[in-house]
Amino acid sequence: MDKWLNHPTALKIISIILGLLLWAVVHIDPDTSPQTVTSNIDTKTIEASVITADGLDEDKYVLSAMEPTVVRLDVQGRLTDLMRASSDDDYIVKVDLKDAKPGIQELPLTVSLPKGIQLVQMSPRTVTVQLEEILTKPFELQVVAEGKPADGFIAGTPTIIEPTGAVEVTLPKDDMSRIGVVSAEINVEGADKTVVIKKAKVVVYDSEGIEMTNAVVSPETVQVEVKVTPPFKTVPLQVRYTGSLPDDLSLVYVKPAVEQVTVYGDQKTLNELQIYDGVVLDLSNVKKSGSLQVKTQLVNGIKGVDPAEVTLEVVVAPIVTRTLSGLSVAIEGAASGLSAVIRSPADGNFDLTVSGAETVLSKLKKDDIHIIANVEGLEPGVHVVPLQVDVPPYVQTVLANGQTLTVSIELVDNASVEAEQEESEEVGGTPSKEPEGALPDPGGENSGSSNAANGSNSNS
């Protein structure tokens, strides 16, 4: 016997028999007949399977509430199938909103199970949903600058580069009336140059300043900028001239495309600035009427000018001359106590020849020309004083070679004149009675000389 048990073949047969006996012990149900074995079907419970909304027309409605949001599933199937569908995402529970209407309503649930698995129970089998009608309206976008620029700089008004136009906001109908502002922000803290944000987020706030996170906006971002510059001021534009037109031409008018410019500089310089004359037209470049581009120059401490270039409309015409007669001369600057009298020309008036375009000279009046003689600082006596002639734009005075405009003016001390008048009145007074022995000569030889003598005395 011992020899047989030690044989390898015998040991293999005994091992197989023991294995079969162990399998029978595990699989034979004691409550049944010895020939019946247990089934390999098992069950599984998914405690919280998420409910998915399906078929919602998102252009018309929004799902504002759903209760419950998860369900409990009891399923069964072969052990291998249950193990294969190990993730809860394999069990899909849906509510069909295709035919749902606005408001609160109860709808049935449907479930999709993995292959080979069956539903035993679903709890609950219905769900309560609330649908709200949605609206889309355009709103004006406001760009808000946050922060403070660097010292000595100021931030301009934020602007939208692109896209331009209104922003469309989509919200449930009841929420639309709560919108307070639609805005994008740009930060300029410490900036010393223009700030550009390519993708500034568009945010919707309610009337209390709270962000409405359920709002859908289009576009979601915008490109904005804020110009950060030194202090600036808007002033009238004045064109200056250099060079000369051809001899046969005269200006009719020069009209800039803009009447004002924005200048940048320190605040003190801006406070003193009243006009900007940094646009200079070189008349030697003007050959005919037309438009010219002239760059703006930085003058009087100005750091920048906007626009940097100005279009000038220039109109020229053949030159003609015209003489205006009887122009009066205004005397200015006479010291207190002095009177000024024009001695030459005798009548105190001037004839002046001017040139310009015919259309300009045809409208010219005497009152448009001002001739001024300044005698400031001059002592009593006769002086030759140069004249200052002010003519309207695009009009020039015409002088012969070497000719200067001067006037002879006498300055008289008023006190001396008054003293002479008083002395003259005392010396030239009329006697109270005739001298004795002086009888009139009626028609005699000495009659004429007597009258002459009397006349002389009366005028002395």
Side-chain angles (χ1 to χ4, degrees):
M1 176 63 74
D2 293 338
K3 185 178 180 181
W4 182 80
L5 292 174
N6 289 329
H7 194 281
T9 303
L11 291 175
K12 291 179 181 179
I13 295 172
I14 294 171
S15 298
I16 293 173
I17 294 171
L18 290 175
L20 293 173
L21 290 174
L22 289 173
W23 181 87
V25 170
V26 172
H27 288 82
I28 294 175
D29 191 349
D31 296 332
T32 63
S33 62
Q35 294 79 12
T36 305
V37 297
T38 57
S39 171
N40 63 353
I41 299 299
D42 204 351
T43 61
K44 181 179 180 180
T45 299
I46 297 97
E47 295 290 349
S49 183
V50 178
I51 301 174
T52 303
D54 187 46
L56 178 64
D57 187 349
E58 296 181 352
D59 293 333
K60 295 181 179 180
Y61 308 108
V62 62
L63 178 61
S64 57
M66 181 169 63
E67 181 63 33
T69 58
V70 295
V71 296
R72 180 174 182 235
L73 296 177
D74 293 326
V75 296
Q76 70 176 12
R78 291 187 302 175
L79 183 60
T80 54
D81 292 333
L82 293 175
M83 293 180 65
R84 188 182 301 112
S86 59
S87 174
D88 291 348
D89 294 337
D90 295 328
Y91 302 88
I92 302 173
V93 180
K94 295 182 179 181
V95 56
D96 188 1
L97 303 178
K98 182 178 181 181
D99 297 324
K101 302 298 181 182
I104 299 174
Q105 54 214 288
E106 186 175 355
L107 298 173
L109 294 173
T110 60
V111 60
S112 298
L113 301 176
K115 184 178 180 180
I117 298 177
Q118 296 179 346
L119 178 66
V120 176
Q121 184 176 356
M122 178 171 60
S123 178
R125 288 185 171 274
T126 61
V127 66
T128 301
V129 297
Q130 180 178 5
L131 299 185
E132 292 186 51
E133 183 181 359
I134 61 174
L135 299 177
T136 299
K137 287 186 177 181
F139 286 86
E140 181 180 357
L141 179 64
Q142 298 183 14
V143 183
V144 180
E146 298 288 344
K148 182 181 179 182
D151 291 341
F153 291 81
I154 58 175
T157 302
T159 56
I160 303 172
I161 300 176
E162 61 179 12
T164 58
V167 173
E168 291 190 341
V169 178
T170 302
L171 273 174
K173 183 176 182 181
D174 293 340
D175 289 342
M176 189 66 72
S177 59
R178 294 173 45 225
I179 293 180
V181 65
V182 181
S183 68
E185 294 183 357
I186 182 169
N187 194 320
V188 297
E189 183 66 32
D192 58 2
K193 60 182 179 180
T194 297
V195 178
V196 178
I197 302 296
K198 292 185 177 181
K199 290 187 177 181
K201 182 181 179 182
V202 179
V203 182
V204 180
Y205 296 94
D206 64 14
S207 56
E208 297 180 356
I210 301 175
E211 182 179 352
M212 303 180 70
T213 56
N214 62 330
V216 178
V217 295
S218 179
E220 296 181 353
T221 62
V222 292
Q223 183 174 351
V224 296
E225 75 170 6
V226 174
K227 290 186 177 180
V228 177
T229 65
F232 62 89
K233 181 179 182 180
T234 300
V235 294
L237 172 63
Q238 179 174 294
V239 180
R240 290 191 290 120
Y241 303 96
T242 186
S244 301
L245 286 171
D247 293 339
D248 60 340
L249 292 179
S250 179
L251 288 174
V252 177
Y253 66 81
V254 175
K255 184 178 181 180
V258 294
E259 297 181 354
Q260 295 181 322
V261 294
T262 301
V263 293
Y264 301 86
D266 60 81
Q267 196 60 53
K268 181 180 179 182
T269 301
L270 296 180
N271 292 340
E272 297 173 353
L273 189 66
Q274 301 300 322
I275 62 170
Y276 174 75
D277 59 355
V279 173
V280 182
L281 174 60
D282 187 352
L283 296 177
S284 62
N285 295 329
V286 179
K287 308 301 180 184
K288 60 181 180 179
S289 299
S291 296
L292 294 176
Q293 299 289 333
V294 180
K295 292 183 178 180
T296 53
Q297 301 179 4
L298 303 182
V299 296
N300 301 327
I302 297 302
K303 297 180 180 179
V305 183
D306 185 22
E309 193 173 66
V310 176
T311 301
L312 301 179
E313 182 183 356
V314 182
V315 177
V316 295
I319 194 169
V320 298
T321 59
R322 177 185 173 188
T323 300
L324 290 89
S325 303
L327 300 175
S328 60
V329 178
I331 300 175
E332 295 180 352
S336 177
L338 296 181
S339 296
V341 181
I342 297 177
R343 295 305 183 192
S344 176
D347 58 359
N349 292 328
F350 258 81
D351 295 342
L352 183 68
T353 300
V354 294
S355 65
E358 184 175 0
T359 55
V360 175
L361 296 187
S362 63
K363 301 175 182 178
L364 189 64
K365 300 178 182 179
K366 290 184 179 181
D367 294 342
D368 296 331
I369 297 178
H370 303 283
I371 302 178
I372 301 171
N374 194 326
V375 297
E376 184 176 1
L378 298 181
E379 301 292 334
V382 178
H383 304 274
V384 176
V385 180
L387 297 176
Q388 174 187 334
V389 180
D390 294 333
V391 295
Y394 317 127
V395 175
Q396 299 82 35
T397 57
V398 178
L399 301 177
N401 292 335
Q403 179 185 1
T404 58
L405 294 178
T406 59
V407 65
S408 178
I409 296 178
E410 181 180 4
L411 294 177
V412 181
D413 190 331
N414 294 335
S416 299
V417 173
E418 292 175 359
E420 290 179 1
Q421 290 177 346
E422 291 176 357
E423 181 181 353
S424 174
E425 290 175 357
E426 292 177 0
V427 173
T430 303
S432 60
K433 69 175 186 178
E434 293 288 339
E436 293 182 0
L439 299 175
D441 183 3
E445 183 179 345
N446 296 328
S447 171
S449 59
S450 175
N451 290 336
N454 290 337
S456 174
N457 290 337
S458 67
N459 293 330
S460 63

